[in-house]
Amino acid sequence: MDILILAVVIAVVVLGALGGLIVGSRRKKQLPPPPPAAPDITAPPAEPHVGDEAETPRDEPRRTIEEVDLPGGGAPTAVEEPPVVEELPPTEIEVPEPTAGRLIRLRARLSRSQNALGKGLLTLLSREHLDEDTWEEIEDILLTADVGVQPTQELVEGLRERVKVLGTRTPEELRGLLREELLKLVGTDMDRTVRTEPEASKPGIVMVVGVNGTGKTTTTGKLARVLVADGRSVVLGAADTFRAAAADQLQTWGERVGAYTVRGPEGGDPASVAFDAVKEGKEMGSDVVLIDTAGRLHTKTGLMDELGKVKRVVEKHAPLDEVLLVLDATTGQNGLVQARVFAEVVDITGIVLTKLDGTAKGGIVVAVQRELGVPVKLVGLGEGADDLAPFEPEAFVDALIGD
């Protein structure tokens, strides 16, 4: 009996142990994974790998970590490096072409558009019989070329008399005859020098005027090149404060040849800019001050009065040496109306004819000189920087009648 009871107890103990093992293994399988360990905020940052470094934009400052010794120890401090600034190369100073003989070098451009006048006259004069109809045709050619009524009558009368006396008319004789008569009209005895000679501490002062669209600012820049080519130092006055790009345009022209530009705020007082330009020119000891004024319609009385004010303000420093009127040669007789109004306001001393290489008619040279009683001093024969040339009557007439 005692043996049976002992066997039962041992069996119960064994079964209980086996049950506990089974339950424990099941619980162990159902437990969730342990949570991740919290980061140690006191641990130093990991060293970055070379390939992990992000590219720093070129225009932003790079930040570097430098150890700074502080009393009692200190944390690393971020120090900004200055951004890298790319230096622009300096503006290259150009050397303009010499002005001596420039019109002769540009003669081909002039003759391409003007030969119709000379060839037409030579063809008519070469006829065996010069009757009234022929002389009327000659007059029509001259009037169409914008020579003007009075100069045309003078030329026809001179040709008639010379042809009658000459009798026989070979091509060489006719060419020489026409050349002489045209030179009389154009004028070989007029002073066509652009007066820019400095006097003592006073620079030569030139003011450039004209209507909108005649190429006035461009002409001022090209004139600066002409003067630099002749060995003069130049200060430019950007007194065209109404057109947004005018001052920038003029300054660009000046920088190309090393001329200093005085400018004011957009919409500012043009007389003030002109005054400052002359003052600056005197202080710098420059040879010439060129003042570019705003283009204005000759029919606008207020604008024309303001142009007179610019002239008066400038003359508080010293008298103007030149007032050059820029005319578009393609406008013909309308250009004469403009010239007349400008001459009444600012006393024009010389004419600059632009676009004479295009569809312009060469007779405008004669007409505008007769209208104002002042000479054509400069002519524009293209879009190039050195296509502004001093006017030479002989070269001009030779281009008209061709070779």
Side-chain angles (χ1 to χ4, degrees):
M1 186 66 179
D2 292 335
I3 295 172
L4 181 59
I5 293 172
L6 179 61
V8 172
V9 171
I10 292 172
V12 172
V13 172
V14 171
L15 289 175
L18 289 174
L21 288 173
I22 293 171
V23 172
S25 62
R26 287 180 179 177
R27 287 180 179 176
K28 187 175 181 180
K29 289 180 182 179
Q30 293 175 359
L31 287 175
D40 187 358
I41 60 175
T42 63
E47 293 293 331
H49 294 289
V50 175
D52 295 339
E53 183 177 355
E55 230 179 83
T56 304
R58 186 178 61 182
D59 296 334
E60 294 183 5
R62 292 178 60 89
R63 294 180 179 271
T64 61
I65 303 299
E66 295 182 359
E67 294 296 334
V68 181
D69 292 331
L70 297 176
T77 305
V79 179
E80 290 190 3
E81 292 182 357
V84 178
V85 179
E86 296 181 3
E87 293 186 4
L88 296 176
T91 303
E92 184 177 351
I93 303 299
E94 300 176 8
V95 179
E97 296 180 5
T99 58
R102 185 179 285 187
L103 185 58
I104 296 175
R105 295 196 299 274
L106 298 172
R107 176 178 163 183
R109 297 182 186 180
L110 182 61
S111 60
R112 279 198 299 268
S113 59
Q114 306 299 334
N115 266 353
L117 171 60
K119 287 181 178 179
L121 292 176
L122 286 173
T123 300
L124 292 174
L125 290 171
S126 299
R127 290 180 179 177
E128 186 175 351
H129 300 289
L130 296 178
D131 53 17
E132 288 300 319
D133 291 338
T134 303
W135 288 113
E136 287 183 6
E137 288 183 56
I138 291 174
E139 285 187 358
D140 289 341
I141 288 178
L142 292 169
L143 291 173
T144 303
D146 289 329
V147 173
V149 176
Q150 185 63 32
T152 293
Q153 292 176 348
E154 293 177 13
L155 180 59
V156 170
E157 289 175 6
L159 287 172
R160 273 188 160 187
E161 185 176 345
R162 296 286 297 277
V163 168
K164 185 182 296 185
V165 172
L166 186 63
T168 58
R169 302 183 303 278
T170 65
E172 292 76 15
E173 289 172 332
L174 285 174
R175 188 177 302 278
L177 173 64
L178 183 58
R179 185 178 189 274
E180 290 176 11
E181 293 299 321
L182 285 173
L183 280 174
K184 287 181 183 178
L185 283 185
V186 174
T188 57
D189 56 348
M190 305 181 79
D191 181 10
R192 301 182 188 276
T193 305
V194 179
R195 295 190 297 272
T196 55
E197 291 292 337
E199 302 173 6
S201 62
K202 168 194 166 302
I205 306 173
V206 180
M207 188 165 75
V208 182
V209 302
V211 301
N212 301 302
T214 57
K216 184 172 44 53
T217 299
T218 298
T219 298
T220 305
K222 290 183 178 182
L223 179 55
R225 294 180 66 90
V226 168
L227 295 169
V228 170
D230 291 339
R232 307 289 179 81
S233 58
V234 178
V235 168
L236 297 171
D240 183 354
T241 59
F242 298 110
R243 188 164 60 92
D248 292 336
Q249 182 183 355
L250 190 64
Q251 185 168 350
T252 299
W253 278 103
E255 288 173 349
R256 290 178 181 175
V257 293
Y260 180 70
T261 303
V262 176
R263 54 188 297 176
E266 184 180 339
D269 181 16
S272 176
V273 176
F275 183 88
D276 290 341
V278 176
K279 179 182 177 183
E280 193 73 26
K282 292 175 69 175
E283 292 175 354
M284 294 175 64
S286 299
D287 297 322
V288 187
V289 176
L290 295 180
I291 302 171
D292 176 37
T293 61
R296 54 200 72 234
L297 296 174
H298 58 285
T299 55
K300 299 294 184 181
T301 305
L303 292 176
M304 295 303 292
D305 290 343
E306 187 176 65
L307 186 62
K309 174 189 172 184
V310 174
K311 178 176 182 291
R312 291 191 301 273
V313 168
V314 168
E315 290 182 330
K316 291 181 179 179
H317 276 302
L320 285 165
D321 296 283
E322 288 278 4
V323 179
L324 298 177
L325 173 63
V326 180
L327 291 176
D328 183 339
T330 64
T331 59
Q333 296 298 312
N334 187 46
L336 299 184
V337 178
Q338 300 169 9
R340 190 182 306 117
V341 176
F342 274 89
E344 293 172 356
V345 176
V346 287
D347 300 325
I348 304 299
T349 61
I351 303 296
V352 182
L353 282 176
T354 62
K355 306 178 186 177
L356 204 57
D357 60 318
T359 58
K361 296 148 183 169
I364 191 65
V365 172
V366 176
V368 74
Q369 288 184 157
R370 288 291 185 94
E371 180 68 30
L372 298 184
V374 298
V376 171
K377 295 191 173 184
L378 298 162
V379 289
L381 295 167
E383 299 296 328
D386 293 320
D387 291 344
L388 183 71
F391 183 75
E392 302 171 27
E394 291 83 1
F396 177 74
V397 170
D398 288 341
L400 287 182
I401 62 177
D403 297 325

